[in-house]
Amino acid sequence: MTAMTYFQLCAQDNIWAMIAPEMVLACMGLLLLGLEFFLPKQAVLPMLRLLTFGVLGFLLAFITYKYCFIPSVGRSFGFSGLILQTGYTDVFRLFFLLNGILTAHLATRYFEANPDLNPRAFYPLLLWVVAAFMLLVQTQHFAAFFVMLEAVTVGFYLLIAYNSKREPSLEAALKYLVLGALTSPILLMGIALLYGIAGNPNMPAYVMDGMSFSALHVFISANPTHPFVLLGAAFVLIAVAFKIGAFPLQIWIPDVYQGAPLPITALLAVASKAAGIILLMHLLHGPFAALQGTFLPILLAVAIATILFGNITALPQENTKRLIGLSGISHAGYLLLGVLASFSIDWAAQAILFYLFVYLIASYAVLGVMGYVSKSSDYNQTIHDYTQLAERDGFLSFVLVVGLASLAGIPPLAGFVAKFLLLLATYQAELYWGLGAALLGVVISIYYYFTWMRSAVFRPWSTEKQIPSEGRVSFAGSKNKWVLGVLTALSLVLGFIPAVILLL
Amino acid sequence: MAYLPYFLPLAVIVPIVALLLMIFCSFLGGRVVRSLALAGFILPAILSICLAFYYPNFVEFSGDYAYLGMLSVGLDAWGIQLSFGLNGVSLPLFLLAAWVGLAAGLYAMQSHAEDKESYWMLLLLMLSGLLGTFASTNLFFFFFFHEVALVPTFVMMGRWGGAGRRVAAMEMAIYLTLGAMLTLLGLIAFYIQASPFMPTFDMRGLSQLFTVLPLSEFSQEMIFGILLVGMGILVSLFPFHSWAPRAYATAPAPVAMMHAGVLKKFGLYGLIQVALPMLPLGAELWAPYLVILALGNVLYIGWVTVAQQDLKMMLGYSSVMHMGYAFLGIATLSTLGVGASVIFMVGHGLTVALLFLLGTSLYKRTGTYNMLEMGGLCKPLPVLSAFFVAASLASLGLPGFLNFWGELSIFVALWDYSPLYTALAVLGVIISAIYGLRAVARIFFGELPSHLKTPMLDLNWAERLPALLLVSALLCLGFYPAPLVKQVNDALLYTRVDPVMWVNPDAEPGNSLVVETILDVSDAQ
């Protein structure tokens, strides 16, 4: 084979149509950046929003159509084995597109409350991060894996620091940068260890391409106990656990969530966590499948510690963004249990996906309410800012109660069904300690979720009404609240009729 | 007649439909919303009466479920379907839920609470949960509907409750979730145990499966223990009761009526319908401990009740105390005792709802719950005092009220189990006479204190109607409990709550005849 034919073969393998949605997002991001060169100044911002929502909405509709009506071709590799698309790829894409569109929605409100911020760079960055997320969960090769993970992380460095006039935002970005910069080399080290040992001709079943997931799968199945393999896999998993916020790598979460702009808090809480869980599933069922037995006890201990840490530290928390972060840690713990259960229970993957969607719906509803209740800087918003929300805005308090109850996992809301299925899988997989921790966690979580709810709906006992002075709270009227209404309705409908899980 | 089976899901859904219509028709004005809420409370009661009336026609063989129906919600692969049906045990409780729901709804309609529409909506949601709990034959939805009531209860306590509600509501929410999670654990255990043969949450399927292939002794004992503690918390079994009196004392009247009257029976119902038939060996192991705890309810909580000066706290504690009798009936593990417990639950539900209603009406007139500050109220409030005396006597178990049959049969069943315990349990009746009659004496007789001498209006018709509904149900069933008891007895004989029958299905269930004998007496009365 000449060099020329080699390059031709590679080029033929690059079927760009496979990643058309990601390409559209990336190109649209570029276009948005250049918008101000050929549009009058006052038309830039509306156009920016229109195009962002337009492209996300179009892709959402397109992929939904494709997923529902065009039969999937099964597994197809692309780009010389860098990416792998399965029937689930479109589900993941839909998930991240939903994240993008809801984050953009939160951002609209955020920029209204912070008129001194220039939103022009925000939307392109958001589109790129969403595209990177969508590619990240398709990667089948550690080179692409690393690049996409870094693309997401670098995007977050910028987005977290977006409110650069305020110290908390910068502080959060710096913390995320330092810790992110710490985990990237660990990931690289892990990849290098695996690559090195897998390509060693002295090893049995050594492979040429020690970064491809399928090659590594073959190699690791043949050498499941080699120390370099274990060390390399552990390093890779550590980097993924950092994204998920699993104990003991959860330490950045409260500070970063608190300082980040609210829409980015949402993106971190939902999309980043979900991507981590999906990657963990890919790795543990792909290249590291032979190591399941080795990692199961460690991951179980991590899951239990994550659930308990998240719930217990959230108990005294009054800052709402920190509360979202800490309770999010416990949700990551429940999801980790689902990942462990998936080693022996087939449908656990379905349950995890359902949980992710339900978590998305409930989280964005609660964060949406936080956006409406927030002062211009929301990093020190506490649950006391919600006092008598029911009197001030009944609709928002209703959305908040439904969202929190769904996060707490109380019937008739979707959160209950999701949690129930995860617990069922955990029980069936005989992870009794994990099950016990999860049940305990649910009981503990009632306290902080209901404290928040109590703050919003209870009337103070004293006869004189103490509504906080209006200056502290700004409501945006009923504009765009229908999004919250839709999310709330979804939480309710999916609770009564969770049939959508069959689509997953 | 052919459409009757649809009445059952209809009754469960009607309150939710009414709720949704209330939201979407709010622009039509207060009158429309009000009548929608009223319809949401009244229709389930009418439907449930129809269901009960034609019930015998729909039972294929003695003790079976009637009105079975099923709807897929997309979780069939996990054995979860929305399936409804009524058997002899669930029918009385379903009726109780609809009836107390109606009374509570009517009482809420006349209240002067702020933001009444949301109040009614939350009550409707709660009512739907109550009806669904007792109508479900799938363990998943049995649990699901019970938990539906948690958030509405919490919100209603906070918005319309009394003093101390912040702490009481939170304590209740955490305690109930703890109980619910343990119960859930037990229910999932059934599924896991059954899944090698038949992955299902269906009560009837599981019951049949575990009859053919009984669970190992160890799993039976473990699951029963978990369920007993979990459901014990929900029913306020001593020593897991501390949430109940304070929660009822602070909750608004309709919530206390529905919760203490109906929702709390979930745990007892679960033990009877699920735990006893499927876990006979577990029941045998735990019954002696259950008796001790139940006597703790009767005697210890009884004395605590005597010490109460706050009327609502006293009512809360007395409802906790009476749960002890229901547990005693279950702990005898005999058809008679368990059946008596079901009858007692119905009687207690109606009585305690009536008492909470009257207590709140009394508060509206006197402005206090402190019994020491009241007195001589029978003169200005003759109708209210008549109702209150009737309710107190019903609560004591006076013949003529339904509670009498429940208590008496429990004592008869308990005598077979242990005469000593029976003597102790009967002592409880004296205790409840002490606090019940003393409360009546303090509130309604004696000198009218000077600060209450301002003219007071007696119960108006909007308050009398729900009270009348409850009293008439107590009296009607008290004089003629036969139809109810026959269904309970048939169902219990069929599901074999008595372990003796479990070992030997053909054994003549001797003590079941006692129920019939007692009831023959009641017929003759």
Side-chain angles (χ1 to χ4, degrees), chain B residues 251-324:
Chain B
V255 178
M257 288 164 75
M258 282 207 202
H259 207 288
V262 189
L263 192 65
K264 212 158 88 164
K265 272 63 177 184
F266 165 86
L268 298 164
Y269 171 75
L271 284 179
I272 294 172
Q273 192 87 312
V274 181
L276 292 188
M278 298 189 205
L279 308 165
L281 297 174
E284 274 187 298
L285 175 78
W286 287 97
Y289 305 102
L290 179 57
V291 173
I292 306 282
L293 293 184
L295 282 173
N297 267 52
V298 171
L299 297 174
Y300 176 75
I301 305 297
W303 278 116
V304 174
T305 316
V306 172
Q308 300 304 315
Q309 291 173 357
D310 182 289
L311 175 62
K312 245 188 157 184
M313 283 297 266
M314 189 205 89
L315 295 181
Y317 271 111
S318 87
S319 109
V320 173
M321 174 204 170
H322 281 112
M323 285 299 100

Side-chain angles (χ1 to χ4, degrees), chain A residues 347 350 390-391 401 405 409-413 416-417 420-421 423-424 427-428 435 439 442-443 446-447 450-451 453-454 457-461 465 495-499 501-502, chain B residues 16 73-75 78 80 114-115 140 143-144 147-148 150-151 154-155 157-163 165-167 169-170 173-174 177-178 181 184-185 188-189 191-192 195 201:
Chain A
W347 53 265
Q350 243 172 312
E391 266 76 38
V401 166
I410 293 169
L413 301 159
F416 169 68
V417 183
F420 177 83
L421 289 176
L423 293 181
L424 193 61
Y427 199 145
Q428 212 156 18
L435 182 71
L439 289 174
V442 171
V443 176
I446 292 294
Y447 177 77
F450 276 51
T451 305
M453 228 188 262
R454 179 168 76 176
V457 297
F458 275 33
R459 286 175 213 268
W461 180 242
K465 296 266 157 79
F496 276 107
I497 306 164
I501 192 173
L502 296 178
Chain B
I16 290 191
V73 293
L75 297 176
W78 291 271
I80 295 168
E114 291 174 53
D115 194 10
F140 177 86
F143 180 84
F144 180 95
E147 288 291 284
V148 163
L150 179 61
V151 174
F154 183 79
V155 173
M157 277 177 78
R159 291 185 65 71
W160 296 279
R165 59 198 175 183
R166 285 179 73 81
V167 179
M170 186 59 77
I174 293 174
T177 309
L178 181 63
M181 283 301 126
L184 186 64
L185 187 65
I188 293 180
Y191 174 83
I192 303 287
S195 58
F201 276 100

Side-chain angles (χ1 to χ4, degrees), chain A residues 33 409 493:
Chain A
L33 267 193
V493 170

Side-chain angles (χ1 to χ4, degrees), chain B residues 327-348:
Chain B
F327 274 117
L328 281 176
I330 290 174
T332 60
L333 302 183
S334 61
T335 312
L336 171 63
V338 176
S341 177
V342 176
I343 302 296
F344 181 78
M345 277 190 248
V346 178
H348 175 260

